[in-house]
Amino acid sequence: MPIRSIGAKLTLWYTSLLTLTFLLLGGMAYGLLAYSLARDMDAALTGVADVMAQKARMGSHDQRPSEIDELFRRFFGFSPLDRQADIYDPRGRRDPGPDGSNLPEIPLSPLAQKNAAQGLPTFETLPSTGRYPVRVLTRPVIKAGTVTNLVRVGMSLENMLKTRRRFLLIMAAMLPLGLLLAGGGGWLLAHRALRPVDRMTRTARQISARELDQRLQETGNDDELDRLAKTLNSMLDRLNATIDQMRQFSADASHELQTPLTILKGEMEVALRSPRSPAEYQHVLQSGLEEIDRINRLVEGLLLLARADAGVLRMDFQPVALNDLLQEVCEQMRTIADDRAIDLQSDSPAPVFIDGDREHLRRLLLNLIDNAIKYTPSGGSVKITLHPDKDGASLAVSDTGIGLSAAEQKQIFNRFHRSTETRARDVKGVGLGLDIVHSIVAAHGGRIHVESTPGQGSTFTVYLPTRPA
Ligand code: ADP
């Protein structure tokens, strides 16, 4: 079964690593212990053999047990029961003098004899009749260049093997205890470190679309969990803002749709209340058509924005002569401008070609020029200039209208936003035009910005690249 809790996983990892470290260090310590015990034993055997060889060289083969005990005590620190200290003649026969050995005799090995003949000492680990093997050193006694005798010193490995086994037993007893402590400690630590995560999970569970005001607790430590809480909180802030925007958008859209529908319904109800002349019916139908037009424009605009938001705005890119299109739109708007006594001029000295969606570009020009006319009092002027720019086209729509404050300039591209001045003057509109313009510019890979002085006029500048990336 897979482990789900991070705490359990961390503890498992921690304990496994610790076991591995323990085994590795334990193994190394055991190896070192075994090595140094063996070295000490060989050094002590050499010490005893050297003294015996020295005596033998001076002609004394008499090894009294008390002297040998004394020698072992000097080099080993104690005189064990299972020990050997004998002198042999060069042919390998044991000296018949008092026996220094507590062990049954182990014959000299051919290797030891061969080495001794060459003047070399030999260390061997030999099986004995007892429970433990014996470590023996055979060394020659050389007098005037000839091997006169062999000294053999041996010692049971009982002590050494018992020490090694004791070490292993202690390790084996410490391992489960250490692991228990490490595992318990690891679990407690992991549990403590992950407690804030549990708290975050509980809070996050309580946060719903309706209650997006709640935030995860930040500790201020700037550790990983604090940064996670901060990141999630800022994501919640953005979500909250988006949901607020969506709520506002639905409310505004319903309101904007409701107004023309109410007018339409009211006019028809009044018309139906009593018989009317054909001219009166015509008037009602005419007014109804205007409201339907308004609803149509609104729904079209909303649809375009919804598609742009979803990234599925259909674009039919083809070469467009922007100067010709501008000319057409200006002709279309001229009647409205003339009606309001506004001087509408366009200036596009050179042909400007870009790859774009003709209908969307027409809408862009219409919206900008319509706004410029709408927000300019009678007698004012609107001027549009178009010229090629670095790898694209630059279009500026300037008016001598009511202008916008710096604060308003930041908000006018927001959906349904209309300036206070505009609302006060009761100018027709719903606040979608510039948002649509912005979406069309973005779909062409361009940018738009506004410069304006309240009471003096505004200039909306659009930059469109020749070919969208
Ligand atoms: P609408 O014109 O339908 O209100 P827009 O999105 O086109 O919506 O414009 C948003 C707001 O920006 C307008 O309500 C108006 O306050 C302001 N605005 C747009 N164009 C101009 C302009 N040329 N001069 C002054 N204010 C403008």
Side-chain angles (χ1 to χ4, degrees), residues 317-456:
F317 285 110
Q318 49 181 282
V320 178
L322 213 51
N323 48 319
D324 290 347
L325 188 63
L326 174 63
Q327 226 48 56
E328 272 177 42
V329 174
C330 280
E331 285 320 308
Q332 212 177 324
M333 299 301 287
R334 191 158 307 282
T335 341
I336 304 174
D338 290 349
D339 282 353
R340 304 207 47 227
I342 284 169
D343 176 29
L344 176 65
Q345 286 178 29
S346 71
D347 179 23
S348 51
V352 181
F353 283 92
I354 66 158
D355 268 352
D357 182 304
R358 195 178 174 81
E359 283 321 302
H360 286 322
L361 288 171
R362 181 193 297 282
R363 179 147 204 167
L364 177 150
L365 291 170
L366 275 171
N367 283 6
L368 286 179
I369 300 171
D370 182 50
N371 274 354
I373 297 173
K374 249 186 347 188
Y375 300 114
T376 302
S378 295
S381 68
V382 171
K383 183 161 188 199
I384 305 123
T385 47
L386 171 71
H387 55 81
D389 199 354
K390 201 162 81 48
D391 299 327
S394 178
L395 172 91
V397 182
S398 307
D399 60 55
T400 55
I402 57 175
L404 289 155
S405 67
E408 292 285 358
Q409 288 172 35
K410 287 198 187 112
Q411 298 196 38
I412 49 171
F413 293 100
N414 291 345
R415 210 154 289 183
F416 290 114
H417 179 83
R418 307 197 74 209
S419 71
T420 344
E421 171 87 9
T422 314
R423 289 179 197 270
R425 286 174 182 234
D426 197 23
V427 185
K428 277 196 180 156
V430 289
L432 288 183
L434 283 180
D435 195 6
I436 291 173
V437 168
H438 185 257
S439 298
I440 295 174
V441 171
H444 282 82
R447 51 182 190 273
I448 178 167
H449 82 271
V450 56
E451 277 168 52
S452 184
T453 314
Q456 289 186 21

Side-chain angles (χ1 to χ4, degrees), residues 29-41:
Y30 181 74
L32 272 173
L33 177 78
Y35 171 75
S36 76
L37 282 176
R39 222 187 47 177
D40 286 354
M41 161 144 316

Side-chain angles (χ1 to χ4, degrees), residues 109-424:
S109 70
L111 174 74
Q113 283 193 50
K114 197 177 126 210
N115 282 348
Q118 292 170 3
L120 299 169
T122 310
F123 283 101
E124 292 164 299
T125 302
L126 304 171
S128 88
T129 48
R131 274 184 66 194
Y132 298 94
V134 187
R135 180 77 172 163
V136 290
L137 162 65
T138 313
R139 60 152 294 177
V141 179
I142 300 166
K143 204 166 164 187
T146 24
V147 176
T148 54
N149 290 95
L150 306 181
V151 171
R152 188 195 228 194
V153 183
M155 164 91 150
S156 159
L157 287 177
E158 178 178 0
N159 264 313
M160 191 176 102
L161 293 179
K162 275 186 175 163
T163 310
R164 276 164 45 171
R165 192 173 317 139
R166 217 171 300 131
F167 181 84
L168 279 181
L169 280 174
I170 293 172
M171 288 258 301
M174 268 167 58
L175 180 68
L177 198 77
L179 289 188
L180 207 74
L181 278 175
W187 169 251
L188 272 178
L189 273 177
H191 197 67
R192 223 179 113 89
L194 292 172
R195 212 179 294 151
V197 178
D198 277 342
R199 233 185 356 249
M200 278 158 80
T201 313
R202 274 199 303 278
T203 318
R205 251 190 225 130
Q206 286 163 9
I207 298 175
S208 66
R210 280 176 196 287
E211 281 176 45
L212 267 179
D213 294 339
Q214 272 208 61
R215 290 293 173 268
L216 304 175
Q217 194 184 335
E218 293 173 17
T219 54
N221 298 340
D222 201 32
D223 56 12
E224 288 83 350
L225 291 179
D226 189 47
R227 287 201 293 273
L228 177 66
K230 279 184 184 144
T231 311
L232 288 175
N233 281 343
S234 75
M235 187 185 81
L236 284 170
D237 286 344
R238 291 196 300 275
L239 264 178
N240 207 5
T242 310
I243 289 182
D244 274 354
Q245 252 177 20
M246 279 165 59
R247 283 197 191 118
Q248 188 63 40
F249 174 70
S250 316
D252 288 344
S254 328
H255 175 76
E256 292 304 333
L257 280 169
Q258 200 183 25
T259 315
L261 282 173
T262 313
I263 297 174
L264 197 59
K265 186 168 176 262
E267 283 179 346
M268 289 195 171
E269 278 172 354
V270 172
L272 285 175
R273 230 171 259 159
S274 50
R276 311 269 167 191
S277 67
E280 279 171 325
Y281 281 128
Q282 204 171 9
H283 175 74
V284 171
L285 285 177
Q286 191 63 44
S287 157
L289 256 183
E290 273 171 26
E291 293 309 325
I292 289 173
D293 259 358
R294 193 172 153 194
I295 295 173
N296 209 14
R297 271 201 309 279
L298 186 65
V299 172
E300 262 178 30
L302 286 174
L303 208 64
L304 186 143
L305 288 175
R307 285 192 179 130
D309 285 351
V312 292
L313 185 61
R314 241 199 19 240
M315 302 291 290
D316 182 15
F317 285 110
Q318 49 181 282
V320 178
L322 213 51
N323 48 319
D324 290 347
L325 188 63
L326 174 63
Q327 226 48 56
E328 272 177 42
V329 174
C330 280
E331 285 320 308
Q332 212 177 324
M333 299 301 287
R334 191 158 307 282
T335 341
I336 304 174
D338 290 349
D339 282 353
R340 304 207 47 227
I342 284 169
D343 176 29
L344 176 65
Q345 286 178 29
S346 71
D347 179 23
S348 51
V352 181
F353 283 92
I354 66 158
D355 268 352
D357 182 304
R358 195 178 174 81
E359 283 321 302
H360 286 322
L361 288 171
R362 181 193 297 282
R363 179 147 204 167
L364 177 150
L365 291 170
L366 275 171
N367 283 6
L368 286 179
I369 300 171
D370 182 50
N371 274 354
I373 297 173
K374 249 186 347 188
Y375 300 114
T376 302
S378 295
S381 68
V382 171
K383 183 161 188 199
I384 305 123
T385 47
L386 171 71
H387 55 81
D389 199 354
K390 201 162 81 48
D391 299 327
S394 178
L395 172 91
V397 182
S398 307
D399 60 55
T400 55
I402 57 175
L404 289 155
S405 67
E408 292 285 358
Q409 288 172 35
K410 287 198 187 112
Q411 298 196 38
I412 49 171
F413 293 100
N414 291 345
R415 210 154 289 183
F416 290 114
H417 179 83
R418 307 197 74 209
S419 71
T420 344
E421 171 87 9
T422 314
R423 289 179 197 270

Side-chain angles (χ1 to χ4, degrees), residues 46-77:
T46 311
V48 177
D50 282 355
V51 175
M52 283 176 66
Q54 180 76 20
K55 273 186 84 180
R57 208 176 294 124
M58 294 194 306
S60 164
H61 291 191
D62 204 2
Q63 304 287 340
R64 261 172 292 140
S66 62
E67 278 179 40
I68 291 172
D69 273 346
E70 180 54 34
L71 263 180
F72 271 84
R73 228 170 258 126
R74 205 167 107 203
F75 286 99
F76 284 94

